[in-house]
Amino acid sequence: MRSRILFKCVFACLVHALPTSAESLAIGGGRIEIAFPPNDPDFPRPLALEWITTAARAVTDYYGRFPVERVEIRIRAVAGNRIGAGRTFGTRFGGVITVEVGRATTAARFSSDWLITHEMVHLAFPSVAEENHWIEEGLATYVEPIARVRVGNLGAAQAWSDIVRDMPQGLPERGDRGLDHTPTWGRTYWGGALFCLLADVEIRRRTANEKGLEDALRAILQAGGSISFDWNLERALRTGDRAVGVPVLQELYARMKAAPHAVDLDQLWQKLGIERRGATVLFHNEAPLAAVRRAIIPENFARQ
């Protein structure tokens, strides 16, 4: 989750009592400073460190570099085998991520977790107006599984299975007034993710698969559009469109921002060559957009 609170207030509140048990990682040109729970011998620190390292590698791989110069990750220990309550804040130096981690969290639970990668993706897009919050959460929802597959932390079949299962939550329902004016949970997270998926497919279709959404997002980040800076959404979309050479982001935003935009997901999955069966999927490489599917989520990575 990306906080809408002004970073100066948040940062002042967070730094007054920094834990002494800290560790620093240098990945992708960025520094990840991890504040572990102090004086807590039951906390699974090595597992948490590996979890954060894998997420940082995944985000670095997707964006070509780590999104910010420095991020501080503050971990709060809680009971149980769980990970939750993640938040990301922008600061003048980069960002702060806070997250709850259970003292009994297992290696399997860490390995299957998506939250820390989701939070790190937030670092790679500028802060935009409240009505555009869907693009911040939608990007994190969409990019997270793709980035994890690319570093072997998630299987391609599992990623697509989850996307096919969950994407209908982003479709407009009765009374919908477009992404900018329908701030429900489904439209914020999965409506935003749907925007990203449609943009990714259309960019790749129009450029004969030479460019994708990641090229647009890398360009936005390269132009200074990280969480540390306030941009209007139109500026970000123009920057991304210039990088890929087709105005897909601006055109799609015009269609989806203030009105419900009908999407036939079943037809889209068929064109991409994705058939969900139970908890997994079958891939059909004869489908017209199968090459686009493989470019978005490569299928030749074995899960760690």
Side-chain angles (χ1 to χ4, degrees):
M1 179 184 294
R2 183 165 175 165
S3 174
R4 311 302 301 165
I5 303 172
L6 291 176
F7 73 80
K8 290 182 180 178
C9 173
V10 173
F11 188 66
C13 294
L14 287 172
V15 298
H16 74 282
L18 288 176
T20 57
S21 182
E23 189 146 353
S24 182
L25 301 171
I27 296 175
R31 184 159 295 280
I32 299 100
E33 298 177 354
I34 309 158
F36 288 101
N39 304 317
D40 193 339
D42 294 329
F43 186 79
R45 178 167 172 161
L47 294 177
L49 183 61
E50 182 180 1
W51 168 64
I52 291 168
T53 300
T54 299
R57 286 177 49 237
V59 173
T60 294
D61 181 85
Y62 188 86
Y63 285 95
R65 67 178 178 89
F66 195 73
V68 292
E69 180 181 339
R70 177 176 160 231
V71 63
E72 180 188 331
I73 299 177
R74 298 176 57 88
I75 299 176
R76 177 173 173 262
V78 294
N81 177 17
R82 66 187 184 91
I83 297 167
R87 293 180 182 274
T88 302
F89 310 96
T91 72
R92 64 182 178 275
F93 63 75
V96 173
I97 296 173
T98 65
V99 62
E100 293 181 350
V101 176
R103 292 183 181 87
T105 303
T106 63
R109 179 68 183 86
F110 276 118
S111 179
S112 65
D113 175 72
W114 55 267
L115 189 143
I116 195 66
T117 308
H118 178 106
E119 298 302 328
M120 285 187 186
V121 173
H122 281 316
L123 301 170
F125 197 78
S127 296
V128 294
E130 180 69 27
E131 63 264 27
N132 306 135
H133 186 44
W134 57 268
I135 190 65
E136 297 172 342
E137 294 298 348
L139 274 171
T141 301
Y142 179 72
V143 171
E144 166 264 310
I146 297 173
R148 289 175 60 209
V149 169
R150 292 185 183 188
V151 295
N153 183 237
L154 181 68
Q158 185 63 59
W160 278 120
S161 178
D162 294 346
I163 290 169
V164 172
R165 179 195 65 201
D166 294 332
M167 196 62 75
Q169 298 176 90
L171 293 171
E173 297 182 344
R174 184 171 182 174
D176 189 277
R177 298 185 298 130
L179 289 171
D180 279 355
H181 309 290
T182 313
T184 61
W185 179 88
R187 288 292 270 164
T188 298
Y189 286 81
W190 287 101
L194 178 60
F195 176 93
C196 295
L197 171 64
L198 295 175
D200 209 352
V201 170
E202 186 62 10
I203 290 169
R204 293 182 183 281
R205 190 187 68 79
R206 290 199 204 178
T207 65
N209 226 6
E210 291 186 2
K211 300 286 186 180
L213 180 62
E214 68 192 89
D215 297 289
L217 297 177
R218 287 184 177 194
I220 293 167
L221 182 60
Q222 187 63 30
S226 75
I227 194 173
S228 298
F229 299 96
D230 295 327
W231 283 23
N232 63 56
L233 181 55
E234 289 82 0
R235 176 186 175 187
L237 301 183
R238 283 196 306 271
T239 302
D241 279 343
R242 281 198 299 269
V244 297
V246 288
V248 168
L249 295 172
Q250 294 171 92
E251 291 175 0
L252 196 58
Y253 179 53
R255 291 197 296 270
M256 298 181 74
K257 66 179 180 180
H261 177 64
V263 179
D264 187 337
L265 284 176
D266 289 338
Q267 184 181 73
L268 178 60
W269 307 139
Q270 186 176 18
K271 288 182 177 180
L272 289 169
I274 304 168
E275 180 186 356
R276 190 166 191 263
R277 290 189 180 181
T280 188
V281 295
L282 296 178
F283 295 132
H284 299 288
N285 291 330
E286 73 281 3
L289 295 179
V292 167
R293 181 198 75 230
R294 292 193 298 268
I296 293 172
I297 302 184
E299 296 157 20
N300 59 341
F301 289 99
R303 188 177 177 196
Q304 293 175 345

